Amino acid sequence: MRGKPSRCGILLFGYPLGVSDVVTHTARRLAGLGYEIDLFVDEVSFAESPFHSDNPSICIKVVSLNRKSEGILLDSRGVPCRGGFQSAVRKWPSLDAFLQQNSSFPRFPLYLSKVRDLAGAGNHHLLIGIEPFGLIAARFMQLFCDAPLLYYNMELFQRRNCRSEDMTMLKDLEIEASRECTFTVIQDEERAKIFVRENGIEWDRLQFLPVSTSGPAVTGRSDYFRRLFDLPEEKRIIVYAGHITGWAMCREIVEAAQNWPENHVLVMNTWKENASCESYFQEMVRAAGPNCFFNTRPIRRELFTEALSSADVALMFYRPIDENFTETGSSSNKLAHYLQAGLPVVASDFPSIKRILDRYGCGITVSHPVDAAHAIGVILHEHESFREAARMAFQDHFDFDRAFSPVQEKIEKLLTCTDGVRSLRV
């Protein structure tokens, strides 16, 4: 690259940065190409799931949401009275209307205001919005500069789930902003069909990128969980690693484990800081048997895949709440990590998951956690074959370094076209 490096702004609000590998790997990959990266994330999300980088080209801007400590005044709507922010908001009438109505997301107006201050006057050559709030913030920034806009749609946001006026208006804003994007990154064709139907986006403005992770597939085995819980060699370790919550059927998993063979143990591992303080987690612990072990200290990301490799089989279940959950075959962070660790998977029998597990022979789908015991037995009987298939599935479908190349090519073309200093719109 010649001259001053292009600067990319990546915006998140209410979304866990530290465990969002597609987002962090995007930042790392673009920084590795010589671009300057600004990651804007609200302080609440960052505290829940932090991310750190020693790359000087990645600047993590943690947005404070404490107005009192900074003497920030709010009007009767909860919108900051500062620095021309309110007149800026009026440039986007739908956003202005949302902020007048909004009571469900009281910290978002302050995030918008602070991001505008932190971003500066038209200093970015590319803006990437993560999820609806990040997209809306990025579109708001775009009103004042010439930067192209991209959308990383990680979770399907469907109108059928908008059960309040605030949510309906938020969906309307997401649609408006997504139509201003040069392209949207989404995981696969099935999820794309839903997104196109909901948002009215042309198919050729989509780019597929599975939720994936970077680095080689693990071929060996660590003893991480065995050492952590002092488990003897004869114990078979079955792991669940992810968000401890009702939609992931975690309580049903620990209840089902009580009927497993004596030499099977269950490890429940969470990424979330202070998850053990939540009522659902405590209910789950009370429902667990003596063969269930809980790791409540998040594992450092650079050790995570190695830690997982100490298990024998991994679990992945979802309630069929809507298409965001049932069409999760290419959008599950835990599935990418399981397969990278060489772990065969027992998972919900949704077609989107079944297609992948059956294509590679890397796991078995069942209707409910109570049915997992038989599937685990089948996998352990042919364990090495399933493990090799898991690694193959990762390399072919969930390897970020391979899957990101088409997205990278498009971004590089955009940045080549928009290289140079952007000027503030007045």
Side-chain angles (χ1 to χ4, degrees):
M1 296 172 60
R2 293 178 297 177
K4 188 175 180 180
S6 293
R7 181 171 292 275
C8 306
I10 302 176
L11 293 92
L12 306 89
F13 176 85
Y15 198 71
L17 172 61
V19 294
S20 301
D21 286 13
V22 163
V23 179
T24 58
H25 291 327
T26 294
R28 287 188 174 113
R29 176 67 77 88
L30 294 179
L33 293 171
Y35 303 119
E36 300 286 340
I37 309 298
D38 290 330
L39 272 163
F40 300 91
V41 56
D42 66 280
E43 62 179 356
V44 175
S45 300
F46 186 81
E48 190 175 80
S49 180
F51 168 70
H52 304 282
S53 173
D54 57 6
N55 188 324
S57 295
I58 297 178
C59 181
I60 302 167
K61 297 177 181 286
V62 181
V63 181
S64 169
L65 301 178
N66 188 342
R67 66 178 179 86
K68 292 182 179 179
S69 66
E70 301 176 45
I72 298 172
L73 299 177
L74 306 182
D75 68 9
S76 59
R77 306 173 298 168
V79 177
C81 305
R82 61 198 304 265
F85 175 70
Q86 294 192 359
S87 61
V89 167
R90 285 193 284 273
K91 291 179 178 289
W92 188 358
S94 299
L95 177 61
D96 191 31
F98 172 73
L99 295 181
Q100 291 185 48
Q101 161 67 31
N102 169 50
S103 62
S104 302
F105 314 103
R107 292 169 169 163
F108 185 58
L110 185 56
Y111 172 84
L112 275 181
S113 172
K114 297 290 289 292
V115 161
R116 183 169 183 256
D117 291 345
L118 289 168
N123 290 332
H124 292 92
H125 304 80
L126 177 69
L127 296 168
I128 303 176
I130 311 299
E131 284 294 272
F133 284 115
L135 171 65
I136 292 163
R139 171 58 180 153
F140 178 63
M141 287 174 60
Q142 191 196 33
L143 296 175
F144 306 96
C145 69
D146 298 321
L149 177 64
L150 308 184
Y151 183 21
Y152 271 38
N153 178 253
M154 310 300 291
E155 313 282 347
L156 291 171
F157 181 25
Q158 296 176 261
R159 194 174 291 281
R160 61 188 270 193
N161 294 327
C162 297
R163 295 183 172 86
S164 68
E165 188 172 352
D166 287 354
M167 291 294 286
T168 299
M169 295 178 77
L170 181 65
K171 178 61 186 177
D172 291 339
L173 283 170
E174 186 223 21
I175 291 172
E176 283 187 38
S178 66
R179 291 176 179 175
E180 299 297 327
C181 292
T182 304
F183 64 88
T184 291
V185 173
I186 197 163
Q187 295 76 41
D188 61 24
E189 289 191 9
E190 295 306 314
R191 292 175 75 87
K193 291 174 185 176
I194 299 160
F195 181 79
V196 166
R197 184 182 70 218
E198 290 269 336
N199 287 39
I201 303 298
E202 296 87 352
W203 193 264
D204 61 3
R205 291 171 62 191
L206 301 175
Q207 182 62 55
F208 300 133
L209 175 63
V211 171
S212 45
T213 192
S214 184
V218 175
T219 56
R221 302 281 300 276
S222 78
D223 61 354
Y224 187 92
F225 289 131
R226 207 169 290 283
R227 283 188 293 106
L228 183 64
F229 298 112
D230 194 23
L231 299 172
E233 287 295 327
E234 64 269 16
K235 294 293 186 180
R236 294 291 201 161
I237 300 173
I238 318 303
V239 67
Y240 170 87
H243 194 17
I244 304 294
T245 185
W247 52 253
M249 305 184 74
C250 293
R251 179 169 178 167
E252 288 85 347
I253 290 172
V254 300
E255 289 174 340
Q258 296 184 42
N259 297 315
W260 289 355
E262 188 176 342
N263 69 331
H264 288 25
V265 299
L266 173 65
V267 171
M268 300 292 290
N269 184 84
T270 179
W271 56 261
K272 189 177 181 181
E273 298 280 356
N274 302 317
S276 59
C277 299
E278 297 177 352
S279 59
Y280 182 85
F281 190 99
Q282 294 164 6
E283 291 173 13
M284 180 188 63
V285 171
R286 289 193 292 270
N291 67 335
C292 189
F293 299 84
F294 299 92
N295 182 30
T296 58
R297 297 184 61 184
I299 301 169
R300 296 208 315 268
R301 216 60 184 163
E302 65 269 21
L303 300 177
F304 187 58
T305 305
E306 180 184 350
L308 287 179
S309 74
S310 66
D312 295 285
V313 179
L315 302 178
M316 185 178 84
F317 287 95
Y318 298 96
R319 294 194 191 284
I321 296 171
D322 59 25
E323 290 158 305
N324 184 54
F325 292 90
T326 59
E327 293 295 342
T328 197
S330 294
S331 66
S332 171
N333 214 30
K334 65 172 67 70
L335 181 56
H337 279 285
Y338 288 162
L339 298 175
Q340 185 184 32
L343 286 182
V345 181
V346 177
S348 297
D349 61 352
F350 303 153
S352 65
I353 300 174
K354 185 175 176 60
R355 280 194 297 269
I356 290 175
L357 300 193
D358 287 356
R359 181 193 311 163
Y360 297 101
C362 59
I364 298 173
T365 58
V366 297
S367 61
H368 190 275
V370 76
D371 303 315
H374 176 72
I376 291 169
V378 171
I379 288 172
L380 292 176
H381 185 68
E382 301 179 51
H383 198 214
E384 285 308 312
S385 175
F386 274 96
R387 280 174 49 79
E388 180 58 34
R391 291 189 289 266
M392 180 63 68
F394 169 75
Q395 292 165 353
D396 193 51
H397 193 73
F398 293 98
D399 181 355
F400 177 87
D401 298 323
R402 175 178 176 177
F404 186 68
S405 293
V407 180
Q408 176 182 316
E409 184 178 343
K410 284 192 172 185
I411 289 175
E412 287 191 281
K413 287 181 179 178
L414 279 176
L415 290 174
T416 299
C417 293
T418 60
D419 202 13
V421 179
R422 303 268 77 76
S423 60
L424 182 68
R425 288 181 184 165
V426 295

